[in-house]
Amino acid sequence: MKNFLSLMLFLIGSSAFAQYSGLEKDYKSVENKVIEWRRDIHQNPELSNREFKTAEKIAKHLRSLGIEVQTGVAHTGVVGILKGDQDGKVIALRADIDALPVYERNDLPYKSNVTSEFLGEKVGVMHACGHDTHTAILMGVAEVLSKNKDKIKGTVKFIFQPAEEGPPPGEEGGALLMVKEGVLKNPDVDAIFGLHINSQTPVGVIRYKSGGTMAAAQSFTINVKGKQSHGSQPWSGIDPIMISAKIIDGLQTIISREVNLTQEAAVITVGKIKSGVRFNIIPESAEMIGTIRTLDYDMKDHINKRMMEMVPDIAKAYGAVATIEIKDATDITYNDPALVEQMLPTMKRVAGDSNVQTQNAVTGAEDFSYFQREVPGFFFFLGGMTPGTTESFPHHTPDFLIDDSGLNLGVRTLTEMSLDYLNRSISNDTKIKG
Ligand SMILES: [Zn+2]
Ligand SMILES: [Zn+2]
């Protein structure tokens, strides 16, 4: 039965669906608005779980379109429900809305000069991952679809998600909290689509991978306790800074000497070390925090086990005591292969065959994975790099830059994927019943 269903999905997916008449004028009318929204949001970024003004803008827009709106979902999230003229399945579209603690270095008319406080430190705030583009694209999709309810056979749920980058320590948030609060229920979501802009993929291009696509992310905290002494007399203390250096070295050998990197990629990064106050004091302790990225469950278990063994052992060798705690942050982003097959013809029709390309797995993580744990999902990448550009900057950096001429393709793709998914689901059911 499963094979039969897959075959049906494949056959239906392969058949060419005609373009929807009348959509073109709506795509055109929304194109500049999407860019304006994106630039406004870019200039007014807000950190995870603090997206108050961004949420207000989204809710106001959805209400103006006559879409049913829920606010305050997972703190600052906004959910819109648009019922089509005919009954059918429920498709969810997700955009994340939060920014990062980064000082923007780009020279743009809509550059962010916003500062805030993050973990007690003054920081710049910047949409350095491009979630401003996701928000604007989904606002555009909502506008186009709300004008075309006659073409919708079912319901579209717009999920504007806070805190994708992770809630501040001690707070809940993001996709996990949205799922917990029932965002995929009432009406029950059958499938979910999401996209991520990419600063190193040319405008006009869509990239995707079937199956495991983005890594599981974990965070770790290491505490090294030594013995404080005068900086001139190291022999009378135990130096936690020197021991931290040995630990970092040891952790990197797990990656370079112990895991089979030809099978899948894996990463351990120490992102912060905190220790000491003065040049002539050997401090008592050091703290390190960092991240682990894995794309394979066995590899994840091995790396975790070896880190737990190695950290206390290395410290012990130098007379110190070290503890390590590892926490799960995000699961593997897994694109349902049947859903991918089903939606590829739509993507190719909208973007053009040669512009829809496969790609390797990514060691970045996405909390979209929490939605995909509940319902089949398809998460893909949208080009945001100016064609012909030789230099582009990665996400999460002060020079990260997106060419917003690429956003309209995002609007078109998500709009038609939604319409096709709902229409195909109906024809699929009908055929199976028949
Ligand atoms: Zn990010
Ligand atoms: Zn992101």
Side-chain angles (χ1 to χ4, degrees):
M1 188 61 186
K2 196 162 179 244
N3 285 341
F4 170 72
L5 276 176
S6 311
L7 181 68
M8 288 300 296
L9 286 175
F10 176 75
L11 290 173
I12 291 158
S14 306
S15 66
F17 273 76
Q19 294 252 9
Y20 297 91
S21 62
L23 282 181
E24 196 53 38
K25 68 171 188 344
D26 295 326
Y27 290 142
K28 288 246 158 63
S29 90
V30 90
E31 184 164 7
N32 288 332
K33 288 193 217 173
V34 167
I35 292 175
E36 275 170 37
W37 295 327
R38 182 261 162 160
R39 293 183 178 190
D40 172 51
I41 295 165
H42 188 88
Q43 205 166 7
N44 298 285
E46 295 175 292
L47 293 174
S48 306
N49 271 1
R50 306 288 183 270
E51 308 91 335
F52 304 109
K53 287 189 187 128
T54 310
E56 262 173 41
K57 286 172 194 169
I58 297 162
K60 191 175 162 208
H61 175 63
L62 296 182
R63 283 195 188 105
S64 80
L65 301 171
I67 291 175
E68 183 190 327
V69 176
Q70 299 163 355
T71 56
V73 184
H75 303 308
T76 49
V78 180
V79 176
I81 296 168
L82 177 68
K83 291 198 174 78
D85 286 353
Q86 296 176 58
D87 288 340
K89 291 200 169 185
V90 180
I91 184 72
L93 305 175
R94 176 274 212 164
D96 39 8
I97 65 173
D98 55 329
L100 285 159
V102 174
Y103 282 101
E104 176 153 25
R105 210 151 50 190
N106 292 308
D107 187 18
L108 296 168
Y110 53 94
K111 171 186 177 172
S112 164
N113 291 308
V114 174
T115 57
S116 185
E117 202 183 272
F118 183 68
L119 303 179
E121 280 178 47
K122 192 187 170 199
V123 292
V125 185
M126 176 188 175
H127 269 290
C129 201
H131 299 180
D132 50 342
T133 67
H134 308 164
T135 308
I137 286 170
L138 198 54
M139 286 167 72
V141 174
E143 180 154 335
V144 173
L145 285 174
S146 69
K147 287 181 181 169
N148 290 278
K149 277 159 64 174
D150 59 314
K151 300 182 183 69
I152 304 175
K153 294 182 176 130
T155 301
V156 185
K157 209 177 229 189
F158 302 95
I159 299 178
F160 291 89
Q161 183 212 302
E164 192 285 323
E165 301 289 357
E171 293 180 29
E172 281 190 284
L176 188 61
L177 187 57
M178 284 197 124
V179 170
K180 227 168 143 182
E181 290 187 5
V183 78
L184 298 175
K185 305 272 168 211
N186 191 33
D188 293 4
V189 169
D190 292 294
I192 186 163
F193 301 138
L195 60 74
H196 208 301
I197 197 87
N198 188 273
S199 65
Q200 293 169 319
T201 300
V203 162
V205 171
I206 286 173
R207 291 194 177 135
Y208 75 97
K209 185 179 175 294
S210 193
T213 298
M214 295 182 77
Q218 296 177 292
S219 66
F220 63 85
T221 304
I222 295 172
N223 277 294
V224 183
K225 194 163 181 302
K227 188 179 166 206
Q228 190 155 330
S229 69
H230 198 290
S232 67
Q233 296 163 359
W235 51 85
S236 58
I238 297 169
D239 182 355
I241 292 179
M242 181 279 295
I243 294 166
S244 295
K246 300 283 182 196
I247 289 173
I248 295 167
D249 205 17
L251 297 180
Q252 293 311 329
T253 63
I254 301 175
I255 300 297
S256 68
R257 305 288 89 173
E258 293 189 23
V259 298
N260 181 353
L261 294 172
T262 63
Q263 193 188 327
E264 277 298 356
V267 175
I268 299 176
T269 290
V270 175
K272 183 178 179 181
I273 307 182
K274 205 174 166 186
S275 182
V277 284
R278 251 187 86 84
F279 73 100
N280 58 358
I281 298 174
I282 288 172
E284 180 165 278
S285 62
E287 186 190 73
M288 291 180 269
I289 56 174
T291 189
I292 308 161
R293 301 300 164 105
T294 46
L295 287 145
D296 176 275
Y297 283 103
D298 290 340
M299 221 181 250
K300 181 180 166 189
D301 289 346
H302 175 81
I303 291 170
N304 286 186
K305 180 175 158 279
R306 291 291 293 134
M307 288 177 77
M308 301 297 286
E309 288 167 1
M310 198 180 261
V311 168
D313 283 359
I314 291 174
K316 196 177 166 206
Y318 297 98
V321 174
T323 57
I324 173 166
E325 190 188 8
I326 298 175
K327 280 187 187 158
D328 286 331
T330 314
D331 213 338
I332 296 172
T333 302
Y334 185 82
N335 283 338
D336 183 82
L339 185 64
V340 171
E341 279 306 312
Q342 191 188 350
M343 297 325 301
L344 272 181
T346 307
M347 282 183 151
K348 288 181 177 171
R349 184 187 72 222
V350 176
D353 271 17
S354 62
N355 289 325
V356 179
Q357 303 166 359
T358 55
Q359 67 161 61
N360 291 336
V362 176
T363 50
E366 245 300 332
D367 75 354
F368 190 78
S369 52
Y370 289 121
F371 298 119
Q372 288 173 311
R373 228 162 45 173
E374 308 295 319
V375 296
F378 187 7
F379 189 77
F380 58 93
F381 299 91
L382 178 71
M385 181 176 78
T386 308
T389 312
T390 48
E391 194 178 30
S392 64
F393 295 94
H395 293 235
H396 292 209
T397 67
D399 306 297
F400 172 77
L401 192 62
I402 290 298
D403 182 338
D404 44 26
S405 68
L407 305 192
N408 196 251
L409 178 61
V411 174
R412 289 165 184 261
T413 308
L414 285 179
T415 300
E416 298 200 23
M417 282 173 76
S418 308
L419 292 172
D420 281 0
Y421 175 81
L422 295 173
N423 290 341
R424 279 172 204 183
S425 298
I426 281 191
S427 54
N428 191 23
D429 289 348
T430 314
K431 282 190 182 183
I432 288 168
K433 269 182 217 148

